[in-house]
């Protein structure tokens, strides 16, 4: 059954090709050696295409949206943190003492934390709560069909809210003890890789927890056999509230022509499913940094996204993506302010 929240999606618009061509030509005219600005030049061209203008504007209202949710699989001992820690992580983000919030403050971004599935009796805001914790995916489905539909709808609404409020660049992120287990399960289901290939150290687990995690992914993967070609079915069986909300968020951001920085295994797994639901959505995304999680590498290769940085940051709260933000501003300013060879007389000799 096709989820009605994504059944009638319009075609994803493509970034502006002409603006990108202008940015490439402008770089070639600058008073720098050919290819001298490396990745900074490519970042500027990406921004120009996403904004549809050259030279591009430096992102003025970047916004990180951190979705928080608990996972039943945490009870299997797959994380270095006990079940129930997610609520305290979300509180730390709201108090601006979580790494992503600290980096966002330095980078000039704002952070919004949304409870979509914490296992607490009293949510701060009922509008975005899908359920209290997701099902334990090695034994049961993560969500019901209705909950999956609701989560996708909530994710799309969140993206609309942020764009309508003036956000010109989005950073989706997640908080959830055990969340890399369903994300790795989705990676294995989509890529066909074995659980032991995709399982990583996640929250910093030891060898015993790694084996428990691999076993949990193996058992959850078996339960996905009938839905491996169905993104919505995968979210229902082996995903969770956070993964489904992020999937809706990512596909709607692309429909709204808004550039997105993706980072962290949970976000990358959601991005993979969003691209399946809305082909072409990936054109609006930039992979901020290479994740140490093997599943993330496999999914980024499938999305044909090459990470810009290699920071070794493993947390999925948006820290790695937000660290890229100053470079994007630099890339925009380089196209705006750098002298051209013609104006400056700085040009290679014509031998």
């Amino acid at each position: 059954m096709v989820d009605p929240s994504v059944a009638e999606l319009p075609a994803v618009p493509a970034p502006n090709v002409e603006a990108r061509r202008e940015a490439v030509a402008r770089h070639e005219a600058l008073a720098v050696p050919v290819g001298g600005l490396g990745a900074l030049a490519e970042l500027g061209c990406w921004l120009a295409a996403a904004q549809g203008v050259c030279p591009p504007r430096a992102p003025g209202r970047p916004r990180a949206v951190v979705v928080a949710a608990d996972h039943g699989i945490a009870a299997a001992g797959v994380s270095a943190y006990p079940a129930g820690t997610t609520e305290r992580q979300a509180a730390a983000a709201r108090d601006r003492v979580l790494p992503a919030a600290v980096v966002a403050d330095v980078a000039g971004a704002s952070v919004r934390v949304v409870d979509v599935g914490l296992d607490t009796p009293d949510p701060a805001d009922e509008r975005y709560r899908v359920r209290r914790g997701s099902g334990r995916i090695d034994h049961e489905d993560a969500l019901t069909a209705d909950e999956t539909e609701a989560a996708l709808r909530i994710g799309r609404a969140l993206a609309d809210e942020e764009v309508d409020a003036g956000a010109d660049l989005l950073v989706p992120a997640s908080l959830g003890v055990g969340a890399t287990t369903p994300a790795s399960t989705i990676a294995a289901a989509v890529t066909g890789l074995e659980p032991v290939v995709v399982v990583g150290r996640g929250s910093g687990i030891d060898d015993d927890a790694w084996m428990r995690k691999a076993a949990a992914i193996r058992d959850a993967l078996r339960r996905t056999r009938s839905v491996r070609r169905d993104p919505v079915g995968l979210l229902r069986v082996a995903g969770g509230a956070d993964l489904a909300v992020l999937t809706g968020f990512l596909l709607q951001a692309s429909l709204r022509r808004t550039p997105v920085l993706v980072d962290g295994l949970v976000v990358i797994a959601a991005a993979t499913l969003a691209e399946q639901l809305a082909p072409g959505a990936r054109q609006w995304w930039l992979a901020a940094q290479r994740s140490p999680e093997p599943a993330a590498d496999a999914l980024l290769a499938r999305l044909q996204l090459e990470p810009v940085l290699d920071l070794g940051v493993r947390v999925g709260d948006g820290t790695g993506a937000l660290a890229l933000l100053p470079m994007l501003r630099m890339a925009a300013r380089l196209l705006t302010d750098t002298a051209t060879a013609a104006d400056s007389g700085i040009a290679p000799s014509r031998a």
Side-chain angles (χ1 to χ4, degrees), residues 129-152:
R129 174 73 79 96
V130 178
R131 59 179 281 170
R132 280 187 61 176
S134 299
R136 181 170 167 168
I137 60 172
D138 57 344
H139 296 156
E140 60 183 340
D141 288 352
L143 305 169
T144 67
D146 287 346
E147 288 165 349
T148 308
E149 177 188 338
L152 287 165

Side-chain angles (χ1 to χ4, degrees), residues 44-252:
C45 294
W46 179 78
L47 265 182
Q51 294 177 359
V53 63
C54 180
R57 303 174 300 275
R61 297 192 67 179
R63 178 76 150 169
V65 178
V66 185
V67 299
D70 281 305
H71 291 266
I73 197 63
V78 297
S79 173
Y81 295 91
T85 308
T86 311
E87 184 180 8
R88 290 190 285 276
Q89 293 174 332
R94 292 189 182 99
D95 292 341
R96 306 195 67 79
V97 293
L98 203 72
V102 174
V103 173
D105 191 49
V106 176
S110 58
V111 178
R112 178 184 185 184
V113 183
V114 184
D115 170 8
V116 301
L118 291 177
D119 191 12
T120 54
D122 300 311
D125 193 335
E126 286 280 5
R127 291 176 299 164
Y128 308 108
R129 174 73 79 96
V130 178
R131 59 179 281 170
R132 280 187 61 176
S134 299
R136 181 170 167 168
I137 60 172
D138 57 344
H139 296 156
E140 60 183 340
D141 288 352
L143 305 169
T144 67
D146 287 346
E147 288 165 349
T148 308
E149 177 188 338
L152 287 165
R153 189 168 57 248
I154 287 169
R156 296 184 68 187
L158 283 170
D160 281 336
E161 288 176 11
E162 296 303 332
V163 176
D164 290 343
D168 56 3
L169 184 141
L170 294 170
V171 179
S174 72
L175 290 173
V177 174
T180 59
T181 299
S184 297
T185 302
I186 288 171
V190 168
T191 63
L193 295 172
E194 292 295 323
V196 292
V197 176
V198 299
V199 66
R201 294 290 174 174
S203 55
I205 55 177
D206 60 19
D207 289 347
D208 288 341
W210 187 94
M211 288 187 285
R212 290 192 294 270
K213 185 174 180 177
I217 294 170
R218 176 201 64 206
D219 293 343
L221 186 61
R222 288 172 180 160
R223 300 187 63 259
T224 68
R225 285 174 182 163
S226 64
V227 294
R228 291 185 187 176
R229 296 183 182 275
D230 174 10
V232 176
L234 270 176
L235 288 168
R236 173 178 57 81
V237 173
D242 47 359
L243 280 148
V245 167
L246 286 166
T247 299
F249 185 93
L250 283 154
L251 68 84
Q252 188 66 14

